[in-house]
Amino acid sequence: MMTDDLKKPVRKAVFPVAGLGTRFLPATKAIPKELLPIVDRPLIQYAVDEAREAGIEELIFVTGRGKTAIVEHFDHAFELEATMSGRGKDLEALEPTRIKPGNLITVRQQVPLGLGHAIWCARAIVGNEPFAIFLPDELMIGQPGCMKQMVDAYADVGGNLISVLEVPREEVSSYGVIAPGESLEGFGGALTEVTGLVEKPKVEDAPSNLIISGRYILQPQVMRTLETQEAGAGGEIQLTDAMARMIGEQPFHAVTFAGRRFDCGSKLGFVEATLALAMEREDIGADVRAMAERMLGV
């Protein structure tokens, strides 16, 4: 039965940003992977903007050693702004990097024990409220954004939600996959009951071709589940395992994202996102497209 507790507003978001980014070395030796830019906008900025569009007020960064630059990106840069102002330059480009004092909180994941452990590190700040999770490596582009679509669905069904995307069935073994139940009426087929979660199934065993993407809305009870969660695949504490234990105990739904996903945790996905978004920009789009055509000999 749905209770008001399972429909509390989503005001907080957790960003697990403690990873080392080894797939992008040497670029990430001194620069956090979340600050790598898609053209001129860091990955973490896309995720934060998406959160704010969805009405989320409190941003919780789960960081590790060498990640202080992420916090500095959202801090007031007095010397930079004073110099730009003195030269008569517009500060509009810096506007998205400003976060109200007290709305950005960091906690440390001191040992790399997996995504589930990273989320658990934020338990004291999350408290007894529902919260969103953003994996910044997964760049979600849509109108409205992915989390806004999820928050709108949450307002009707409450409980726990995950974002999913359809992929060709032969690709499911690379992802977490949902076992779908009934599709809810009135959502254009975009909202589906979740009856199970399977991590990287064999193609022949996959319950669907709906893969879990990097956006979640979870109830605070998941923290208690993670508290007793044993290590799973790779010796890490898996968030998917904890969510699977909650199915049947609380409402659990999947929102099929109406938009595009770029896997910026891979070099190919990062390059794809850079090209795709550059070609769509008003300021450089036509020139980028012409350059690509020249390079390809089109």
Side-chain angles (χ1 to χ4, degrees):
M1 180 181 293
M2 178 64 66
T3 67
D4 289 340
D5 281 347
L6 297 180
K7 293 186 77 170
K8 286 182 179 178
V10 181
R11 302 186 307 110
K12 300 180 179 182
V14 177
F15 300 79
V17 293
L20 297 175
T22 53
R23 282 189 281 182
F24 282 87
L25 285 170
T28 50
K29 180 180 179 181
I31 299 172
K33 64 176 180 176
E34 294 82 8
L35 289 180
L36 295 178
I38 303 298
V39 188
D40 55 6
R41 190 173 166 200
L43 277 171
I44 189 65
Q45 186 72 62
Y46 283 92
V48 166
D49 290 347
E50 183 186 328
R52 293 194 286 200
E53 179 198 21
I56 289 168
E57 303 165 2
E58 200 166 301
L59 311 175
I60 306 162
F61 289 179
V62 182
T63 68
R65 289 178 60 85
K67 292 301 188 95
T68 55
I70 298 175
V71 179
E72 290 172 5
H73 173 75
F74 293 103
D75 200 357
H76 179 65
F78 174 78
E79 295 87 352
L80 174 63
E81 295 188 18
T83 300
M84 290 179 67
S85 295
R87 295 175 180 174
K89 293 190 175 182
D90 192 353
L91 299 180
E92 184 180 358
L94 295 177
E95 189 59 38
T97 69
R98 296 190 176 101
I99 293 177
K100 290 181 181 178
N103 281 10
L104 192 157
I105 301 167
T106 64
V107 296
R108 281 288 188 108
Q109 183 186 24
Q110 295 174 321
V111 183
L113 293 178
L115 176 58
H117 179 260
I119 301 305
W120 179 76
C121 288
R123 64 197 180 281
I125 305 169
V126 166
N128 197 36
E129 293 188 45
F131 62 101
I133 299 173
F134 289 77
L135 306 188
D137 280 1
E138 300 198 35
L139 178 56
M140 312 291 273
I141 302 296
Q143 294 292 335
C146 184
M147 186 53 65
K148 179 67 167 66
Q149 293 179 30
M150 295 177 69
V151 166
D152 288 346
Y154 174 85
D156 286 310
V157 298
N160 302 273
L161 284 88
I162 54 179
S163 170
V164 296
L165 290 163
E166 283 192 70
V167 299
R169 181 165 283 273
E170 59 269 21
E171 296 179 11
V172 294
S173 298
S174 300
Y175 304 97
V177 178
I178 70 163
E182 295 183 4
S183 294
L184 270 69
E185 303 246 346
F187 289 90
L191 194 60
T192 308
E193 180 187 12
V194 177
T195 61
L197 302 170
V198 184
E199 189 67 32
K200 297 182 179 179
K202 294 180 180 178
V203 172
E204 59 271 23
D205 298 332
S208 74
N209 66 334
L210 293 172
I211 65 164
I212 303 169
S213 56
R215 302 292 186 269
Y216 313 77
I217 294 175
L218 299 178
Q219 296 298 320
Q221 286 77 11
V222 75
M223 295 297 191
R224 263 75 85 194
T225 304
L226 287 167
E227 186 91 37
T228 58
Q229 184 77 33
E230 295 182 0
E236 298 182 337
I237 298 174
Q238 300 291 340
L239 181 63
T240 302
D241 294 342
M243 292 191 298
R245 289 170 60 186
M246 295 174 68
I247 294 172
E249 297 181 4
Q250 293 182 342
F252 217 112
H253 296 91
V255 178
T256 301
F257 173 48
R260 294 173 292 165
R261 167 188 177 268
F262 297 97
D263 177 12
C264 292
S266 74
K267 294 174 186 176
L268 185 61
F270 188 89
V271 172
E272 180 187 11
T274 301
L275 282 173
L277 298 189
M279 286 192 294
E280 293 173 6
R281 287 177 52 145
E282 291 185 7
D283 57 345
I284 61 172
D287 291 336
V288 171
R289 186 177 297 276
M291 177 183 65
E293 291 173 350
R294 285 197 308 271
M295 292 175 69
L296 294 171
V298 176

